[in-house]
Amino acid sequence: MSGTRRTDEGHGRLGSKLSGLAVALGCVLFLGGFAWGAVVYQPYTVPTDSMSPTIVGGDRVLAERIDGSDIQRGDVVVFKQASWGNLPMVKRVVAVGGDTVACCTQGKLTVNGKKIEEPYLPKGTDAESSTIPSIEVPENRLFLLGDERSGSLDSTAHLTEAGNGTVPRSAVNARVDAVAWPMNGMLARPTGFETLGGISEPGPLRLVLTAVVAGAVLVLGGAAYGPIAKRAGRRRDRTGAKERALAG
């Protein structure tokens, strides 16, 4: 009987150590995930429907802090441009420096003479409600459009300005990875631009969320071990007492 008790006590000490280790590791993952996300990502509230249906007015998005030089075609970016009001705006990059952009050919946007498939546009609508003349995008600048083309104040509203409605890459603050509220998740990859070259890979948001969730599970599981172990121990003690009484 004493050997059994010692074994139970040994298991209890081991369980307590593992429980404490799980809580400690969980705290590291949980807090580390939040810290990582705070460093890499910045939340924005989108005020208008110019990016509908991808992002609608009032949506809360998570945008990865990124240098403008890393932006590629198809990216949804947050930027500020003095001639556009000098306020944070969210638009999609459809052409970069050296590209020639125009619209429309059979209802589709063309970049470097290639028609671009844009499944993120509202269903049944053309790529643009008005004509975009053939424009060569200057080096280190971006041509930007909203996904809701009929009501978006984008590059098409600034064609008469210097740069033909383009903005410098340096104006970009971040690239949108996901809609956090409502929880629509990660933005779909703009595969229609792949024929023109590479497109951006998503940021580390999935890894950040995995770390946070795994940390929470470890903390809760480790914290729950103590009460569960005590309850199990009391049950074993009662069972042992009954067996001793019957044996006596």
PDB file of all heavy atoms in Angstrom, residues 1 14 18 38 45 51-52 85 111 157 162 164 169 177 187 200 204 214 223 234:
ATOM      1  N   MET A   1       0.832  -1.203   0.000  1.00  0.00           N
ATOM      2  CA  MET A   1       0.000   0.000   0.000  1.00  0.00           C
ATOM      3  C   MET A   1       0.869   1.255   0.000  1.00  0.00           C
ATOM      4  O   MET A   1       0.607   2.230  -0.695  1.00  0.00           O
ATOM      5  CB  MET A   1      -0.922  -0.011   1.221  1.00  0.00           C
ATOM      6  CG  MET A   1      -1.923   1.145   1.239  1.00  0.00           C
ATOM      7  SD  MET A   1      -3.120   0.997  -0.120  1.00  0.00           S
ATOM      8  CE  MET A   1      -4.014  -0.468   0.433  1.00  0.00           C
ATOM      9  N   LEU A  14       5.408  14.799 -10.764  1.00  0.00           N
ATOM     10  CA  LEU A  14       5.725  14.902 -12.186  1.00  0.00           C
ATOM     11  C   LEU A  14       4.630  15.682 -12.921  1.00  0.00           C
ATOM     12  O   LEU A  14       4.912  16.554 -13.763  1.00  0.00           O
ATOM     13  CB  LEU A  14       5.884  13.513 -12.797  1.00  0.00           C
ATOM     14  CG  LEU A  14       6.154  13.474 -14.314  1.00  0.00           C
ATOM     15  CD1 LEU A  14       7.446  14.198 -14.648  1.00  0.00           C
ATOM     16  CD2 LEU A  14       6.203  12.026 -14.811  1.00  0.00           C
ATOM     17  N   LEU A  18       5.007  19.147 -15.023  1.00  0.00           N
ATOM     18  CA  LEU A  18       4.585  19.274 -16.425  1.00  0.00           C
ATOM     19  C   LEU A  18       3.515  20.347 -16.575  1.00  0.00           C
ATOM     20  O   LEU A  18       3.494  21.083 -17.568  1.00  0.00           O
ATOM     21  CB  LEU A  18       4.067  17.927 -16.932  1.00  0.00           C
ATOM     22  CG  LEU A  18       5.111  16.811 -17.083  1.00  0.00           C
ATOM     23  CD1 LEU A  18       4.448  15.510 -17.497  1.00  0.00           C
ATOM     24  CD2 LEU A  18       6.182  17.216 -18.092  1.00  0.00           C
ATOM     25  N   ALA A  38       1.762  42.764 -32.718  1.00  0.00           N
ATOM     26  CA  ALA A  38       1.742  44.224 -32.528  1.00  0.00           C
ATOM     27  C   ALA A  38       2.887  44.896 -33.263  1.00  0.00           C
ATOM     28  O   ALA A  38       2.746  46.031 -33.738  1.00  0.00           O
ATOM     29  CB  ALA A  38       1.801  44.554 -31.042  1.00  0.00           C
ATOM     30  N   THR A  45      -9.377  50.928 -39.618  1.00  0.00           N
ATOM     31  CA  THR A  45     -10.804  50.866 -39.904  1.00  0.00           C
ATOM     32  C   THR A  45     -11.035  51.546 -41.246  1.00  0.00           C
ATOM     33  O   THR A  45     -10.662  52.701 -41.438  1.00  0.00           O
ATOM     34  CB  THR A  45     -11.632  51.573 -38.818  1.00  0.00           C
ATOM     35  OG1 THR A  45     -11.410  50.918 -37.560  1.00  0.00           O
ATOM     36  CG2 THR A  45     -13.121  51.509 -39.155  1.00  0.00           C
ATOM     37  N   MET A  51     -13.628  49.674 -51.571  1.00  0.00           N
ATOM     38  CA  MET A  51     -12.976  48.381 -51.803  1.00  0.00           C
ATOM     39  C   MET A  51     -13.961  47.225 -51.716  1.00  0.00           C
ATOM     40  O   MET A  51     -13.567  46.061 -51.610  1.00  0.00           O
ATOM     41  CB  MET A  51     -11.855  48.180 -50.792  1.00  0.00           C
ATOM     42  CG  MET A  51     -10.581  48.935 -51.125  1.00  0.00           C
ATOM     43  SD  MET A  51      -9.818  48.377 -52.674  1.00  0.00           S
ATOM     44  CE  MET A  51      -9.389  46.692 -52.259  1.00  0.00           C
ATOM     45  N   SER A  52     -15.255  47.538 -51.777  1.00  0.00           N
ATOM     46  CA  SER A  52     -16.291  46.507 -51.736  1.00  0.00           C
ATOM     47  C   SER A  52     -16.249  45.672 -53.017  1.00  0.00           C
ATOM     48  O   SER A  52     -15.973  46.199 -54.093  1.00  0.00           O
ATOM     49  CB  SER A  52     -17.662  47.173 -51.577  1.00  0.00           C
ATOM     50  OG  SER A  52     -18.683  46.221 -51.607  1.00  0.00           O
ATOM     51  N   GLY A  85      -5.569  64.014 -50.250  1.00  0.00           N
ATOM     52  CA  GLY A  85      -6.183  64.354 -48.978  1.00  0.00           C
ATOM     53  C   GLY A  85      -5.316  64.097 -47.772  1.00  0.00           C
ATOM     54  O   GLY A  85      -5.660  64.465 -46.644  1.00  0.00           O
ATOM     55  N   VAL A 111      -2.898  45.161 -68.430  1.00  0.00           N
ATOM     56  CA  VAL A 111      -1.590  45.618 -67.958  1.00  0.00           C
ATOM     57  C   VAL A 111      -0.546  45.004 -68.875  1.00  0.00           C
ATOM     58  O   VAL A 111      -0.506  43.781 -69.037  1.00  0.00           O
ATOM     59  CB  VAL A 111      -1.330  45.206 -66.494  1.00  0.00           C
ATOM     60  CG1 VAL A 111       0.045  45.704 -66.036  1.00  0.00           C
ATOM     61  CG2 VAL A 111      -2.414  45.749 -65.577  1.00  0.00           C
ATOM     62  N   ALA A 157      -9.248  59.242 -60.683  1.00  0.00           N
ATOM     63  CA  ALA A 157      -9.719  60.585 -60.339  1.00  0.00           C
ATOM     64  C   ALA A 157      -8.579  61.605 -60.326  1.00  0.00           C
ATOM     65  O   ALA A 157      -8.818  62.795 -60.104  1.00  0.00           O
ATOM     66  CB  ALA A 157     -10.408  60.556 -58.974  1.00  0.00           C
ATOM     67  N   ALA A 162       0.380  65.328 -61.872  1.00  0.00           N
ATOM     68  CA  ALA A 162       1.719  64.829 -62.190  1.00  0.00           C
ATOM     69  C   ALA A 162       1.792  63.341 -61.840  1.00  0.00           C
ATOM     70  O   ALA A 162       1.319  62.919 -60.784  1.00  0.00           O
ATOM     71  CB  ALA A 162       2.765  65.598 -61.395  1.00  0.00           C
ATOM     72  N   ASN A 164       0.269  61.069 -63.674  1.00  0.00           N
ATOM     73  CA  ASN A 164      -0.927  60.429 -64.247  1.00  0.00           C
ATOM     74  C   ASN A 164      -1.715  59.601 -63.232  1.00  0.00           C
ATOM     75  O   ASN A 164      -2.163  58.487 -63.510  1.00  0.00           O
ATOM     76  CB  ASN A 164      -0.530  59.530 -65.422  1.00  0.00           C
ATOM     77  CG  ASN A 164       0.037  60.320 -66.588  1.00  0.00           C
ATOM     78  OD1 ASN A 164      -0.401  61.441 -66.857  1.00  0.00           O
ATOM     79  ND2 ASN A 164       1.027  59.749 -67.265  1.00  0.00           N
ATOM     80  N   ARG A 169       5.948  54.825 -54.313  1.00  0.00           N
ATOM     81  CA  ARG A 169       6.001  53.654 -53.428  1.00  0.00           C
ATOM     82  C   ARG A 169       6.206  54.076 -51.974  1.00  0.00           C
ATOM     83  O   ARG A 169       5.710  53.434 -51.048  1.00  0.00           O
ATOM     84  CB  ARG A 169       7.133  52.722 -53.854  1.00  0.00           C
ATOM     85  CG  ARG A 169       6.832  51.883 -55.099  1.00  0.00           C
ATOM     86  CD  ARG A 169       7.995  50.969 -55.422  1.00  0.00           C
ATOM     87  NE  ARG A 169       7.725  50.091 -56.553  1.00  0.00           N
ATOM     88  CZ  ARG A 169       7.176  48.882 -56.453  1.00  0.00           C
ATOM     89  NH1 ARG A 169       6.829  48.424 -55.269  1.00  0.00           N
ATOM     90  NH2 ARG A 169       6.974  48.140 -57.528  1.00  0.00           N
ATOM     91  N   ASP A 177      -3.529  42.194 -45.029  1.00  0.00           N
ATOM     92  CA  ASP A 177      -3.507  40.729 -45.092  1.00  0.00           C
ATOM     93  C   ASP A 177      -4.877  40.110 -44.832  1.00  0.00           C
ATOM     94  O   ASP A 177      -5.202  39.064 -45.380  1.00  0.00           O
ATOM     95  CB  ASP A 177      -2.517  40.171 -44.070  1.00  0.00           C
ATOM     96  CG  ASP A 177      -1.166  39.846 -44.684  1.00  0.00           C
ATOM     97  OD1 ASP A 177      -0.978  40.104 -45.889  1.00  0.00           O
ATOM     98  OD2 ASP A 177      -0.284  39.331 -43.965  1.00  0.00           O
ATOM     99  N   LEU A 187      -7.272  37.792 -47.013  1.00  0.00           N
ATOM    100  CA  LEU A 187      -7.691  38.193 -48.343  1.00  0.00           C
ATOM    101  C   LEU A 187      -7.270  37.134 -49.361  1.00  0.00           C
ATOM    102  O   LEU A 187      -6.212  36.514 -49.229  1.00  0.00           O
ATOM    103  CB  LEU A 187      -7.056  39.536 -48.726  1.00  0.00           C
ATOM    104  CG  LEU A 187      -7.398  40.763 -47.880  1.00  0.00           C
ATOM    105  CD1 LEU A 187      -6.874  42.024 -48.579  1.00  0.00           C
ATOM    106  CD2 LEU A 187      -8.883  40.888 -47.629  1.00  0.00           C
ATOM    107  N   SER A 200       2.774  38.872 -54.160  1.00  0.00           N
ATOM    108  CA  SER A 200       3.230  38.830 -52.774  1.00  0.00           C
ATOM    109  C   SER A 200       2.719  37.593 -52.041  1.00  0.00           C
ATOM    110  O   SER A 200       1.604  37.121 -52.284  1.00  0.00           O
ATOM    111  CB  SER A 200       2.775  40.084 -52.027  1.00  0.00           C
ATOM    112  OG  SER A 200       3.362  41.244 -52.571  1.00  0.00           O
ATOM    113  N   PRO A 204       3.063  36.933 -41.836  1.00  0.00           N
ATOM    114  CA  PRO A 204       3.065  35.843 -40.843  1.00  0.00           C
ATOM    115  C   PRO A 204       1.821  35.785 -39.964  1.00  0.00           C
ATOM    116  O   PRO A 204       1.878  35.252 -38.851  1.00  0.00           O
ATOM    117  CB  PRO A 204       4.304  36.168 -40.013  1.00  0.00           C
ATOM    118  CG  PRO A 204       4.370  37.660 -40.025  1.00  0.00           C
ATOM    119  CD  PRO A 204       3.902  38.067 -41.408  1.00  0.00           C
ATOM    120  N   ALA A 214      -2.272  28.410 -29.494  1.00  0.00           N
ATOM    121  CA  ALA A 214      -1.556  27.329 -28.818  1.00  0.00           C
ATOM    122  C   ALA A 214      -1.182  27.734 -27.401  1.00  0.00           C
ATOM    123  O   ALA A 214      -1.286  26.927 -26.456  1.00  0.00           O
ATOM    124  CB  ALA A 214      -0.304  26.958 -29.615  1.00  0.00           C
ATOM    125  N   ALA A 223      -3.319  25.047 -16.228  1.00  0.00           N
ATOM    126  CA  ALA A 223      -3.995  25.566 -15.046  1.00  0.00           C
ATOM    127  C   ALA A 223      -5.088  24.624 -14.567  1.00  0.00           C
ATOM    128  O   ALA A 223      -5.371  24.539 -13.368  1.00  0.00           O
ATOM    129  CB  ALA A 223      -4.576  26.940 -15.346  1.00  0.00           C
ATOM    130  N   ARG A 234      -8.648  12.656  -4.538  1.00  0.00           N
ATOM    131  CA  ARG A 234      -9.676  12.422  -3.514  1.00  0.00           C
ATOM    132  C   ARG A 234     -10.478  11.160  -3.831  1.00  0.00           C
ATOM    133  O   ARG A 234     -10.835  10.402  -2.934  1.00  0.00           O
ATOM    134  CB  ARG A 234     -10.592  13.635  -3.418  1.00  0.00           C
ATOM    135  CG  ARG A 234      -9.950  14.829  -2.724  1.00  0.00           C
ATOM    136  CD  ARG A 234     -10.997  15.838  -2.299  1.00  0.00           C
ATOM    137  NE  ARG A 234     -11.659  16.436  -3.441  1.00  0.00           N
ATOM    138  CZ  ARG A 234     -11.256  17.559  -4.023  1.00  0.00           C
ATOM    139  NH1 ARG A 234     -10.181  18.192  -3.566  1.00  0.00           N
ATOM    140  NH2 ARG A 234     -11.906  18.054  -5.051  1.00  0.00           N
TER     141      ARG A 234
END
